[in-house]
Amino acid sequence: MKRISVTVLLLSITLITAACGQRPGGQSTQQLSSEDERIDSTDTADTDQPAEKNETEANMNKNESVIEQTGWTAAVPEDYFFPASGQGRVEAIEYTTKDYTGDGGDITKTAYVYLPYGYDENDTQTRYNILYLMHGWGGRAGEYFASEQQRNLFDNLIEKGDIPPIIIVSASFYHDNSDRDFSSSITAFRAFHNDFENDLMPAVEGRYHTYAASVSDEDLRASRDHRAFGGFSLGSVTTWLQFCHDYDYIHYFLPMSGSSWYYGTYGDFQIEKNVDHIEQLVRDNDLTERGYFIYHAVGTNDTVKSQSIDMADEMLTRDLFTPDHYVFYQKEGGYHNHNAVMEYLYNALPLFFRRSLCS
């Protein structure tokens, strides 16, 4: 596929390290041992140059950093999968929402919330960035915390200074009575943005200490720079839809193994039309100035990689999507499973919330 390498002026890794004690995820020589999760059954067949240097070395010394728009993920260091000395906790939260794919009646759903080590519900002064994560076909709320290795990864990313302490929500586009066949799942994730905007986000951020001053629509929009959304497989498709519907509430996006299905569906991806739509949203809503960032990822052995690669190829033909707004990274040898997901999270999360690391 086409490769584009560019220089991007982002907040300095050096500056962040000195001022906030933060650092991005490092390189590794070891891969995660195989512990394959259930593979999303939407599978289909098929599957640099270095970044340009800044104009002068002096510029590099002036707290500028370089990121390639396309590249390869770094493996997670083995010690990130062992327990950290400070461990976060996971809580269940029930919230009232609507059956947006059915009769619209009231229903109760459950989401699971990771709270970082040291989170104090009585400390109303300390505020936290928040990441929402969505599972794939047939998944469940809390899926991102089911693995001890995954929980350890979040703990270690925080403890080692790769990311600031963060609240993470593992939600679901299903409810208790949802049909989970493929076509019903598509209907469910297409409607999820209603749940997110009207019910899930207010329920979570009305309870925990995020940057939203309140759960009014105005305050939720005002805190968008402190909010991220990511997902795997059909959760990746959901993430692209979240961009299309909820760019006013979310700054950072992590679609993992999947393309936008705003138009079309599985097997009818309509890549160019979807990218046209995203480009128009960016232009019409001043998102280049307001800021957004999409970290798009897939594995080279992922059985549904072609749609992600085709999406990336099309995104990279548009001058509007500069590397401070869109990057595409692949995991060498990565399959369609949660081992790959952990590597994507390890690589992407240190690039999120960089404006707020010192807040």
Side-chain angles (χ1 to χ4, degrees):
M1 66 175 282
K2 179 179 179 181
R3 296 282 179 209
I4 300 178
S5 293
V6 293
T7 299
V8 186
L9 305 184
L10 297 173
L11 291 179
S12 166
I13 294 171
T14 304
L15 177 61
I16 292 168
T17 302
C20 306
Q22 307 292 339
R23 66 175 177 80
Q27 300 293 317
S28 168
T29 59
Q30 299 199 37
Q31 298 280 350
L32 172 64
S33 60
S34 61
E35 180 193 346
D36 290 352
E37 304 280 349
R38 180 193 60 79
I39 295 179
D40 182 307
S41 52
T42 62
D43 292 348
T44 185
D46 239 315
T47 165
D48 288 22
Q49 61 186 0
E52 297 173 11
K53 293 182 179 179
N54 286 330
E55 291 184 0
T56 66
E57 289 296 322
N59 284 339
M60 285 295 292
N61 294 330
K62 290 180 181 178
N63 302 320
E64 296 177 355
S65 61
V66 177
I67 182 173
E68 294 186 27
Q69 187 162 31
T70 63
W72 305 94
T73 57
V76 185
E78 187 176 17
D79 61 324
Y80 279 62
F81 297 114
F82 292 97
S85 57
Q87 298 176 30
R89 67 183 190 272
V90 175
E91 297 183 351
I93 178 172
E94 289 190 344
Y95 66 102
T96 300
T97 182
K98 304 287 187 185
D99 184 358
Y100 290 107
T101 61
D103 61 8
D106 288 345
I107 57 174
T108 299
K109 290 177 64 175
T110 302
Y112 291 82
V113 180
Y114 167 91
L115 300 172
Y117 175 76
Y119 180 89
D120 181 355
E121 63 184 9
N122 297 313
D123 176 8
T124 59
Q125 300 303 308
T126 303
R127 297 287 169 168
Y128 295 85
N129 298 306
I130 187 164
L131 165 67
Y132 294 84
L133 291 171
M134 184 56 67
H135 56 72
W137 180 21
R140 64 192 187 280
E143 184 169 296
Y144 285 89
F145 310 134
S147 162
E148 182 180 3
Q149 287 186 326
Q150 179 69 83
R151 297 193 303 274
N152 290 341
L153 174 63
F154 292 138
D155 289 338
N156 278 294
L157 282 167
I158 294 169
E159 183 167 286
K160 296 176 187 297
D162 299 336
I163 63 174
I166 183 177
I167 294 171
I168 304 172
V169 181
S170 183
S172 179
F173 47 71
Y174 297 120
H175 58 79
D176 286 346
N177 297 318
S178 292
D179 292 327
R180 302 200 177 197
D181 60 88
F182 191 60
S183 61
S184 297
S185 298
I186 293 175
T187 301
F189 73 65
R190 286 195 183 282
F192 175 75
H193 67 96
N194 297 297
D195 181 314
F196 178 81
E197 298 159 18
N198 300 328
D199 309 305
L200 175 63
M201 182 170 49
V204 170
E205 302 196 38
R207 176 170 174 175
Y208 300 104
H209 305 318
T210 69
Y211 280 87
S214 76
V215 295
S216 71
D217 190 65
E218 180 181 12
D219 285 338
L220 290 170
R221 290 170 185 260
S223 56
R224 70 183 289 273
D225 288 345
H226 300 276
R227 193 172 294 111
F229 195 102
F232 167 63
S233 197
L234 287 191
S236 179
V237 180
T238 308
T239 301
W240 285 108
L241 289 178
Q242 288 297 104
F243 181 90
C244 294
H245 292 290
D246 289 329
Y247 52 81
D248 275 338
Y249 302 97
I250 303 167
H251 185 120
Y252 301 93
F253 299 86
L254 177 55
M256 300 174 281
S257 187
S259 64
S260 175
W261 298 3
Y262 188 87
Y263 295 105
T265 186
Y266 183 72
D268 178 28
F269 299 119
Q270 300 190 37
I271 297 293
E272 185 174 356
K273 189 174 182 180
N274 279 295
V275 176
D276 285 344
H277 179 67
I278 292 169
E279 183 175 33
Q280 197 64 49
L281 285 175
V282 171
R283 294 189 188 280
D284 290 349
N285 295 280
D286 244 359
L287 293 182
T288 298
E289 293 302 317
R290 293 168 61 193
Y292 70 94
F293 182 66
I294 302 169
Y295 187 107
H296 187 191
V298 77
T300 59
N301 290 341
D302 192 312
T303 48
V304 296
K305 70 177 182 180
S306 57
Q307 62 175 292
S308 292
I309 291 173
D310 290 347
M311 181 90 181
D313 278 339
E314 188 63 34
M315 294 284 286
L316 293 169
T317 66
R318 315 293 177 95
D319 292 339
L320 183 69
F321 301 122
T322 57
D324 50 338
H325 296 301
Y326 175 80
V327 298
F328 178 61
Y329 275 67
Q330 297 184 68
K331 171 176 167 54
E332 182 65 50
Y335 289 89
H336 197 77
N337 59 32
H338 276 273
N339 289 343
V341 167
M342 286 190 276
E343 186 160 307
Y344 306 146
L345 288 163
Y346 169 77
N347 282 265
L349 293 186
L351 301 176
F352 289 8
F353 307 118
R354 297 180 71 167
R355 291 182 175 182
S356 58
L357 283 176
C358 297
S359 298

